Amino acid sequence: MPSKLLSLLDRVILPIRFLFGALFIYTSLWHSLHGEKFLQSIKDYQIISGPIVAWSGFLFIALEAGIGIALVFGFFVRQAAIVAAALLAVFTGVIVSAIVRGLDIACGCGLGDTQVGWFDVVRDVLLMAIALLIAWRTGKNAEELSTEQSAEQLSAVK
Amino acid sequence: MKNIRAAVAVLSYLVIVCLAGYNLRGQLFGKSMPATPTNSTSAAPAQAAPEPASTPGAQSDLKSQPETTPQLVAQAEPSPKEKAGLPTTPSPTGKTKDTHSQQSSVPVAGNGAVDVGERLPDFLLIGLNGNTLNESALRGHKTLFIIVSPTCPHCQKELKLLHQIENEYPSIEPVFASVAQRDQTTPLADMTGEGDHIYTGAMDLGRSLGVTGVPFLMLIDEKGVIRLIKKGELDESAFRDVLGKFMHGQPVAQLPNVMLPEVTLSMTTKLFGDQA
């Protein structure tokens, strides 16, 4: 990849990371505040049922919040981005499964109460790509790269 | 500075997780949590919340078997707790006086079985009109609770009949819980005019009660205690007899058995009583 493009990517990766993390924090808050609705959405997918629904919902919210906060505050960025990509891959699979089974259900994504459709799949794939991009450009020592350091690096680049 | 940021991050995380835990406490910890308000129609279901019953396959795969005796499972008798002398009188306002501890002493149906004297496990149904209904919302009034499938001819006939006569029993709230999804259930509402009383999402509830056929009728009193269980269709005279006695607080007499094809609920979505 041309070095200019990589340089440009490195300039924008920090705001992208912030926005991406903020999105996860927002959806985790939305899911926390609309717990019942969220659990109903999980059940609507008809993949899991019973008591496991509530605990998986809780685990999902905890993961979402963890990813969002890690990305925004600059801790374990690479790991968080990889987990985010994995989570989004699972969502994509689940949504495709719902579409294939002809389920007419709400997405439950926390980004509007829309019915599941191919738009959700495209959106999740794009988000997954962003997560992988963050993981790639952040490097192996991302946990040591604080937000401040990132900002300093950005200033230095400028 | 890094320590401060770490502290803020951890604190933020804890806030969100605690918020989620608080809002989901009813579902996470089930019966150990305080009861929801008596008249709530949207409170969180506790314990094993049933998944909505959607049934792409519900319209097929009927497994009719040769005639068998239907299915009066049990009938109106006082619950074991009532026999033991626990207070059962509703308050003058018609609301139950039960405290949570008293309510929790009533056995809860589930694990594939239901019996008279028990109360329903917690569930969450979604009405065709957008309302939600859970177990605690059944308390405070008498309920005619029927688990139905939109493709079951017996259910269709029964709902049409009830639509004609339900106004004669104003103190009994009808609840028709469909095991199919909303789009599959809507025609049943159009057909019977019972759209305001039809809910979806009853598949898991049916499974947890060991329901093997629809219609599956239950009469539930003001305290949420099941007073009668009847599988299969009832004719008009039997309905009038049962509902009249139930409305006036009289014991419901043993119903004559009605010969109906037995229908079976398969492991997944096949539904009993449905037409092939």
Side-chain angles (χ1 to χ4, degrees):
Chain A
M1 189 175 283
S3 59
K4 280 187 179 177
L5 187 62
L6 283 178
S7 171
L8 178 68
L9 199 58
D10 288 338
R11 284 172 187 238
V12 297
I13 202 70
L14 185 65
I16 287 176
R17 198 189 84 195
F18 274 123
L19 288 174
F20 194 72
L23 179 72
F24 268 74
I25 292 175
Y26 167 77
T27 53
S28 68
L29 275 171
W30 191 92
H31 288 140
S32 298
L33 295 171
H34 301 85
E36 266 183 60
K37 206 172 181 178
F38 175 49
L39 294 190
Q40 187 62 52
S41 295
I42 294 177
K43 286 184 271 183
D44 284 348
Y45 281 97
Q46 297 170 48
I47 291 172
I48 54 173
S49 63
I52 194 176
V53 171
W55 284 103
S56 56
F58 180 73
L59 177 69
F60 168 65
I61 293 171
L63 262 179
E64 256 188 338
I67 290 166
I69 286 168
L71 291 175
V72 166
F73 286 88
F75 296 105
F76 306 103
V77 173
R78 191 160 187 259
Q79 292 87 336
I82 290 170
V83 174
L87 208 56
L88 286 162
V90 171
F91 295 161
T92 308
V94 166
I95 290 173
V96 169
S97 144
I99 294 170
V100 168
R101 284 180 289 151
L103 298 181
D104 181 24
I105 56 175
C107 169
C109 314
L111 302 169
D113 210 5
T114 55
Q115 302 300 101
V116 286
W118 290 110
F119 170 78
D120 300 300
V121 176
V122 172
R123 184 197 57 206
D124 280 359
V125 169
L126 283 176
L127 288 172
M128 206 184 339
I130 292 172
L132 291 173
L133 193 69
I134 293 170
W136 174 43
R137 294 313 298 168
T138 301
K140 291 180 180 176
N141 298 318
E143 64 273 20
E144 295 164 9
L145 189 66
S146 71
T147 308
E148 272 179 14
Q149 288 167 330
S150 302
E152 284 166 11
Q153 280 185 355
L154 267 181
S155 310
V157 170
K158 286 174 187 175
Chain B
M1 192 64 187
K2 189 176 179 180
N3 288 342
I4 295 173
R5 204 177 63 251
V8 173
V10 169
L11 201 63
S12 308
Y13 182 73
L14 287 177
V15 166
I16 296 175
V17 170
C18 288
L19 188 64
Y22 179 77
N23 282 334
L24 298 176
R25 66 194 187 284
Q27 291 91 336
L28 290 172
F29 302 108
K31 289 182 287 185
S32 63
M33 296 310 296
T36 49
T38 302
N39 283 330
S40 166
T41 57
S42 59
Q47 65 178 72
E51 79 182 90
S54 63
T55 58
Q59 295 174 10
S60 58
D61 302 321
L62 166 68
K63 289 194 171 181
S64 292
Q65 296 177 355
E67 290 183 33
T68 50
T69 308
Q71 315 161 5
L72 182 61
V73 174
Q75 73 129 356
E77 284 181 4
S79 70
K81 295 299 170 187
E82 282 179 317
K83 286 175 181 172
L86 285 177
T88 58
T89 309
S91 71
T93 60
K95 309 297 180 194
T96 177
K97 285 179 179 177
D98 272 359
T99 62
H100 174 60
S101 60
Q102 287 169 335
Q103 185 62 49
S104 64
S105 68
V106 177
V108 180
N111 295 322
V114 58
D115 206 349
V116 166
E118 296 178 335
R119 66 181 173 89
L120 291 180
D122 285 307
F123 59 84
L124 180 65
L125 302 178
I126 312 292
L128 291 182
N129 57 10
N131 291 339
T132 57
L133 180 78
N134 63 7
E135 195 275 331
S136 65
L138 299 181
R139 294 175 210 158
H141 55 77
K142 291 171 178 165
T143 306
L144 166 65
F145 194 107
I146 307 180
I147 298 177
V148 297
S149 168
T151 52
C152 152
H154 305 291
C155 305
Q156 295 164 1
K157 192 176 166 189
E158 198 158 87
L159 263 62
K160 285 177 187 170
L161 169 64
L162 283 166
H163 187 62
Q164 293 169 2
I165 68 172
E166 66 191 11
N167 289 342
E168 298 169 34
Y169 310 95
S171 63
I172 300 176
E173 178 72 20
V175 171
F176 307 123
S178 169
V179 294
Q181 278 192 319
R182 182 187 179 87
D183 55 343
Q184 294 167 321
T185 304
T186 305
L188 182 66
D190 299 336
M191 193 186 304
T192 61
E194 285 289 344
D196 285 342
H197 299 133
I198 295 177
Y199 295 79
T200 59
M203 178 61 89
D204 260 14
L205 177 63
R207 285 179 187 151
S208 73
L209 300 180
V211 172
T212 56
V214 286
F216 188 92
L217 179 151
M218 290 174 283
L219 292 179
I220 301 171
D221 71 9
E222 297 90 336
K223 291 193 296 297
V225 179
I226 299 165
R227 293 301 177 200
L228 179 86
I229 299 173
K230 171 75 174 75
K231 293 180 186 176
E233 184 184 338
L234 278 178
D235 61 22
E236 182 173 348
S237 62
F239 248 128
R240 287 184 181 282
D241 180 54
V242 166
L243 293 179
K245 287 177 177 170
F246 183 55
M247 184 171 76
H248 294 109
Q250 299 167 0
V252 183
Q254 176 77 35
L255 294 171
N257 287 339
V258 180
M259 297 302 286
L260 280 176
E262 185 178 348
V263 282
T264 54
L265 176 62
S266 77
M267 289 297 288
T268 54
T269 58
K270 292 174 186 173
L271 243 234
F272 48 102
D274 280 353
Q275 283 179 319

